[in-house]
Amino acid sequence: MRNRRGLQRGFSLAELLVALVFTMILMAGMASVFKASLSSFYTSGETISSQRRNRLAMDLLSDDLNVAGQYLTLEAAPNDITPTNPGFIINPNVAFTGTDIPTADAVSDELLFYFDDPIPFEGRLTVDVQGTAYYVASGLPAPIGGTFGIEVPLGEEPSKIRPGMMLVTRGNYEHKNIVTASVNGQVATVTVDGLFGEKHLATESMVIARPAQYVRYRIQSRNWDPEKPAGIGVPCLIREQGPYPGLGAFVPDATQTTIVAENVSRFTVALSADRGVTWATGASWDAIKTALNAQLVASGAPGSKSVDGNAHWYRSVPVLVRINVTTRTAQARSEFSPAGDTLAYKEHTQSLVLLPRHFGLKF
């Protein structure tokens, strides 16, 4: 018989080493491809997330700007707007702290504006409400105020109708301020600070609003990321709302403060009175107004050649507003560095240009 021992030989050590080297080379190549794919997945995901935050911020800003200068007292402009807190103002290059953005770049514009804020439902009178015309015609003494019921739609909360709010009639836009309010079922019984001028019939619609509200947009730090060092927060675009302060300092209502977008590194606002040919910017609000006046002198309508001396100039001048919002990725990565040797953020800037709905809408 033939010796089978020679037919049962395995791989030699040299052959095993060669196979192992080839396997390691193949695995190294696969690891490199996997690492590149994983990096591409993370970077593209963060970039898309940054762009999505930017678009959401633009949607909210667009909605808000369209109520800037919204006065529900249509017969006359509100008389409480002061030069200390204009009805529309841009404070440029305001520094913010508490982030990893370099100090020289950690500046943001602040946008503030005045408006009347209707709550998201209307009420209907439960009874006829007499006006001063009735008492004058009848020779009866007119009461100081009036008390009546307002029914709200099912599913809405009449408790949202509170003292300090304003009632506006749908019929002729008369308005009165609510002094007291109590709730029974779907009806809020309110007392107002005076009589309406005309009679208003039961079931007539009433707009209920928080009058004289002030809104401020700006960048602030929020300490939300536990991976960041102590004292280093996330730069966020913040929307703050509260009662119009008149001559005092603006104090936002904490319950109406919202985060519009996270990881916002820049927020800038500019104005144009010449249809976007030039844009008014500057180091201060006075400088912006000076540039805006120069545009109006060249292309403004007769009687609208200046924004000075008129607290409600934006209701007389159709001014375009341009807002640039720059968002960045949540993490700094070497893939976002031009040389690939340092950690860097990738930024995305989106612009919004619109003519606010109430700008140029004269009384």
Side-chain angles (χ1 to χ4, degrees):
M1 289 180 66
R2 298 179 61 183
N3 188 353
R4 295 179 176 276
R5 187 170 297 177
L7 300 177
Q8 296 175 355
R9 293 177 56 202
F11 292 107
S12 67
L13 180 59
E15 290 172 329
L16 287 173
L17 290 174
V18 170
L20 182 61
V21 169
F22 277 110
T23 302
M24 292 177 65
I25 293 174
L26 179 62
M27 291 182 65
M30 292 178 64
S32 177
V33 172
F34 177 75
K35 181 180 179 182
S37 299
L38 192 62
S39 175
S40 177
F41 172 77
Y42 281 127
T43 55
S44 61
E46 289 192 6
T47 300
I48 292 172
S49 178
S50 173
Q51 294 171 347
R52 182 169 59 248
R53 290 195 304 272
N54 208 316
R55 289 193 296 272
L56 289 172
M58 287 303 179
D59 288 342
L60 291 171
L61 281 162
S62 176
D63 291 342
D64 248 358
L65 279 173
N66 273 321
V67 299
Q70 174 177 273
Y71 305 151
L72 296 181
T73 55
L74 293 184
E75 67 271 19
N79 57 13
D80 57 351
I81 294 180
T82 66
T84 303
N85 292 293
F88 185 92
I89 183 174
I90 302 166
N91 293 322
N93 302 323
V94 178
F96 59 91
T97 59
T99 72
D100 57 359
I101 298 176
T103 302
D105 299 326
V107 293
S108 162
D109 288 355
E110 287 184 354
L111 173 64
L112 299 99
F113 56 84
Y114 176 112
F115 77 116
D116 292 329
D117 184 18
I119 61 178
F121 60 82
E122 294 184 1
R124 293 183 180 275
L125 291 174
T126 60
V127 295
D128 293 349
V129 176
Q130 297 291 350
T132 55
Y134 165 79
Y135 293 98
V136 170
S138 63
L140 297 173
I144 296 174
T147 301
F148 46 86
I150 299 175
E151 184 178 14
V152 306
L154 288 174
E156 302 294 351
E157 300 177 20
S159 59
K160 291 181 179 178
I161 303 175
R162 298 173 182 172
M165 289 187 172
M166 176 173 62
L167 289 178
V168 184
T169 63
R170 271 294 192 185
N172 57 2
Y173 279 83
E174 286 192 84
H175 68 280
K176 295 298 172 186
N177 297 316
I178 298 175
V179 179
T180 65
S182 60
V183 176
N184 183 10
Q186 290 299 115
V187 176
T189 300
V190 302
T191 300
V192 296
D193 61 353
L195 294 180
F196 292 107
E198 303 295 332
K199 180 178 180 178
H200 297 280
L201 301 178
T203 73
E204 181 178 342
S205 293
M206 306 285 284
V207 178
I208 307 107
R210 287 185 289 262
Q213 294 292 293
Y214 217 38
V215 166
R216 175 170 63 192
Y217 277 91
R218 59 175 176 170
I219 293 179
Q220 282 189 317
S221 172
R222 289 292 187 270
N223 296 315
W224 284 348
D225 191 344
E227 296 183 359
K228 291 187 178 295
I232 301 298
V234 177
C236 299
L237 182 60
I238 308 293
R239 180 193 186 275
E240 300 167 303
Q241 180 176 332
Y244 175 70
L247 294 172
F250 175 48
V251 179
D253 182 347
T255 64
Q256 298 190 75
T257 297
T258 56
I259 310 298
V260 177
E262 303 173 24
N263 288 295
V264 177
S265 52
R266 282 190 296 278
F267 174 72
T268 60
V269 188
L271 304 176
S272 176
D274 57 8
R275 300 179 179 86
V277 177
T278 57
W279 291 94
T281 58
S284 66
W285 175 235
D286 287 339
I288 294 173
K289 289 195 297 181
T290 298
L292 198 58
N293 286 338
Q295 296 175 5
L296 289 171
V297 168
S299 59
S304 299
K305 296 295 186 180
S306 174
V307 300
D308 296 327
N310 180 4
H312 314 277
W313 61 267
Y314 41 86
R315 291 296 302 259
S316 303
V317 180
V319 173
L320 287 174
V321 180
R322 185 189 70 198
I323 295 180
N324 291 338
V325 176
T326 300
T327 54
R328 68 180 192 180
T329 53
Q331 299 293 331
R333 299 185 182 278
S334 59
E335 293 88 344
F336 299 140
S337 171
D341 56 352
T342 58
L343 296 177
Y345 294 97
K346 186 171 184 179
E347 294 186 326
H348 175 77
T349 299
Q350 190 163 336
S351 297
L352 170 69
V353 178
L354 83 163
L355 175 64
R357 185 176 298 141
H358 298 277
F359 278 29
L361 189 62
K362 296 184 178 180
F363 289 95

